[in-house]
Amino acid sequence: MYLFSSCVRLIFSVLPQWSEPQRLTCRTRPESMTTCKESTIIVGGGMVGVSTAYYLASAAQSLAKSHCISVVESSPAVFAAASGGGTGVLGDYGFEPEADELGVLSWHLHKELARIHDGPKNWGYSDIVIQTLHNRTQNLAAKQAGHEGAPLPSWFTNSDDIVANFDYGPDHADSILFGRFLLNRCEALGVRVYINAHLENARADDTGENNVFKVKITQDLETTATICQNIVICAGPWSQRVFESLFPESSYSIPMDVKSRAGNHLRVQTPLWKPEDDKHGTAQLYLRDVLGHSLDISSLLGGTLYIGGYGAEPEELPELATDVHAQPAAIEEMKMLAGRVLNIPEGEYLEILSVGRCYRPFVKHNRPIIAKVPKTKLFPSTSGKEWEKGGVFLNVGHGSDGITLGPGSGKVMSELIMGVRPSVDISGLGLYMP
């Protein structure tokens, strides 16, 4: 079995002016899974896909079951889209009530992982204080609601014109480092990860009571034919494209809504940061009417600030996640706005570490889809009863909550595949049928 300990690496690209985001890359050669008693191919190497692989592999190991698991990622890096470019705040960004139980489960799983695997050391897991800042002179409601709370962080330039409404948020993690942790755990559990790869030609052989898919994995122009019982689509904003390419006859369409849901971001060195500052945890500031344009600034352990919340000019979704690039005009504007409120010592400048842009994988009804696709919707011309085991599953549509809901979504998806009752009620997260 191919493992990829020798090829998981964190690549930093630092250019004089700015750089693209950090990428997690690995390389595993395709291998046939015909000898496995059960096998699953997960399409998409982001937070939800890798979390699904981790919890499925963990469940198989605990039950001493032979289960081959592969993650197929079309880009030359995993966590190359929103999963690696998010702020890392583990909180509710507005998911619908149907996802509330999933959110609670996922938060507990984050806490559990951090406790067992030293999250503060390995992926910057910490408490976070969230503060919404308003201009006192322009916002009467903010003036009336203002109250003393947690002090503003030292890297922010305070002003008597600013009033802060504060809240102690759930928790915070560095999304890149958390992704690296998940990859390492998947490696230890024998999960194969293919980059620069595509799943093709999914044909069902359902002559028996259980389904088997005959598929091909193409990587770097080399194609390997294999079989699997389960296909899980977790390709974020690219999920409908993947689904349509694999099942062109399907009568179902994933209702993705991503073109106008992108955002630029950058990471900078925290001004005046000292190691002892990390003892106070992290902070996230929402600047609403302070700068004339919304901006979010979040600190990470280790002296880094994440700046986002600015939005992006709509562009068509490119073929690969690594083809999504920051928009220079937006980045320059964000740098200028941030420079007005960050406590930068005289004579020094804002050090840019990386920049990027992400498409958030929203669906039209604004709640995740975690469900099995019925056989008749994949192949409308087919007949016969539904497969008892095996099939095609969707784990998509997490919007801005991919890192928050990743562990919970991965766990309940693994339970669906293993044929056990999900840990929480996901009956409201089925296929969207307008």
Side-chain angles (χ1 to χ4, degrees):
M1 179 177 293
Y2 284 97
L3 300 181
F4 53 103
S5 57
S6 61
C7 58
V8 173
R9 58 188 184 274
L10 190 62
I11 295 182
F12 295 86
S13 301
V14 181
L15 302 179
Q17 187 174 26
W18 65 56
S19 68
E20 288 298 310
Q22 305 161 14
R23 306 291 193 193
L24 287 167
T25 66
C26 59
R27 181 167 298 277
T28 303
R29 303 307 305 175
E31 183 176 287
S32 175
M33 293 178 283
T34 56
T35 59
C36 298
K37 290 185 178 180
E38 188 168 0
S39 56
T40 296
I41 295 178
I42 299 166
V43 185
M47 188 65 65
V48 174
V50 175
S51 294
T52 300
Y54 169 69
Y55 282 101
L56 182 58
S58 298
Q61 183 186 68
S62 66
L63 296 173
K65 286 190 173 183
S66 172
H67 197 132
C68 292
I69 302 165
S70 299
V71 176
V72 176
E73 169 58 47
S74 60
S75 294
V78 291
F79 291 88
S83 295
T87 182
V89 176
L90 309 177
D92 179 355
Y93 283 92
F95 42 79
E96 297 295 315
E98 292 86 348
D100 282 347
E101 288 190 28
L102 180 66
V104 173
L105 169 66
S106 201
W107 183 76
H108 283 297
L109 292 175
H110 272 291
K111 299 285 284 188
E112 180 181 64
L113 290 171
R115 176 179 56 82
I116 296 173
H117 300 285
D118 197 357
K121 176 181 177 181
N122 291 317
W123 60 89
Y125 192 87
S126 68
D127 296 329
I128 187 168
V129 174
I130 299 175
Q131 296 171 289
T132 302
L133 308 186
H134 296 276
N135 189 312
R136 187 187 300 270
T137 61
Q138 296 181 13
N139 192 314
L140 180 61
K143 182 177 180 179
Q144 295 173 339
H147 57 275
E148 293 295 325
L152 290 169
S154 60
W155 44 262
F156 184 79
T157 301
N158 201 353
S159 169
D160 292 338
D161 292 333
I162 293 176
V163 60
N165 299 324
F166 81 100
D167 187 19
Y168 287 94
D171 292 300
H172 192 210
D174 187 310
S175 56
I176 288 287
L177 297 181
F178 184 57
R180 180 165 63 180
F181 159 77
L182 286 176
L183 279 176
N184 287 336
R185 295 307 303 167
C186 285
E187 173 208 18
L189 293 165
V191 175
R192 304 183 183 106
V193 177
Y194 307 129
I195 62 171
N196 277 331
H198 299 269
L199 188 67
E200 302 172 346
N201 198 31
R203 295 183 293 112
D205 179 5
D206 59 351
T207 54
E209 64 179 10
N210 300 327
N211 174 64
V212 174
F213 287 103
K214 296 178 180 179
V215 298
K216 294 180 180 179
I217 299 176
T218 298
Q219 182 185 48
D220 298 335
L221 303 180
E222 296 183 15
T223 299
T224 300
T226 187
I227 63 172
C228 66
Q229 284 72 43
N230 309 293
I231 296 175
V232 186
I233 296 177
C234 308
W238 289 269
S239 293
Q240 171 56 22
R241 291 187 185 177
V242 171
F243 183 77
E244 186 177 22
S245 69
L246 291 175
F247 307 102
E249 300 176 7
S250 175
S251 61
Y252 182 71
S253 177
I254 305 172
M256 302 305 303
D257 179 22
V258 298
K259 183 176 179 179
S260 61
R261 302 294 192 114
N264 289 281
H265 62 267
L266 63 155
R267 290 192 182 205
V268 305
Q269 192 69 42
T270 306
L272 302 174
W273 176 82
K274 303 180 296 297
E276 53 266 31
D277 293 342
D278 287 350
K279 297 178 182 178
H280 305 294
T282 57
Q284 182 177 44
L285 304 185
Y286 288 97
L287 286 77
R288 287 298 168 256
D289 50 11
V290 175
L291 298 170
H293 197 294
S294 295
L295 205 67
D296 305 340
I297 306 178
S298 305
S299 62
L300 291 85
L301 298 184
T304 302
L305 294 180
Y306 177 100
I307 302 174
Y310 184 86
E313 289 295 322
E315 293 183 15
E316 292 295 334
L317 190 69
E319 182 179 355
L320 300 176
T322 47
D323 291 335
V324 181
H325 303 293
Q327 296 171 331
I331 294 297
E332 290 297 335
E333 179 71 9
M334 294 169 72
K335 288 167 55 180
M336 184 274 292
L337 293 173
R340 288 168 50 187
V341 295
L342 294 180
N343 194 8
I344 305 172
E346 185 175 354
E348 298 187 12
Y349 61 93
L350 191 62
E351 182 180 352
I352 309 300
L353 303 177
S354 67
V355 302
R357 180 168 57 96
C358 299
Y359 286 86
R360 302 178 183 93
F362 281 89
V363 287
K364 293 179 179 178
H365 58 302
N366 201 37
R367 61 178 180 269
I369 298 173
I370 306 177
K372 183 178 180 179
V373 183
K375 172 183 175 182
T376 53
K377 290 195 174 296
L378 293 172
F379 308 104
S381 60
T382 192
S383 59
K385 63 178 183 180
E386 183 64 37
W387 300 310
E388 293 187 14
K389 290 185 178 180
V392 176
F393 300 82
L394 302 181
N395 201 352
V396 303
H398 294 78
S400 297
D401 296 297
I403 187 171
T404 298
L405 297 177
S409 298
K411 184 173 179 63
V412 297
M413 177 54 66
S414 73
E415 291 166 340
L416 289 179
I417 293 171
M418 299 293 284
V420 300
R421 183 177 180 179
S423 297
V424 295
D425 180 15
I426 57 171
S427 60
L429 305 179
L431 301 183
Y432 176 65
M433 306 297 291

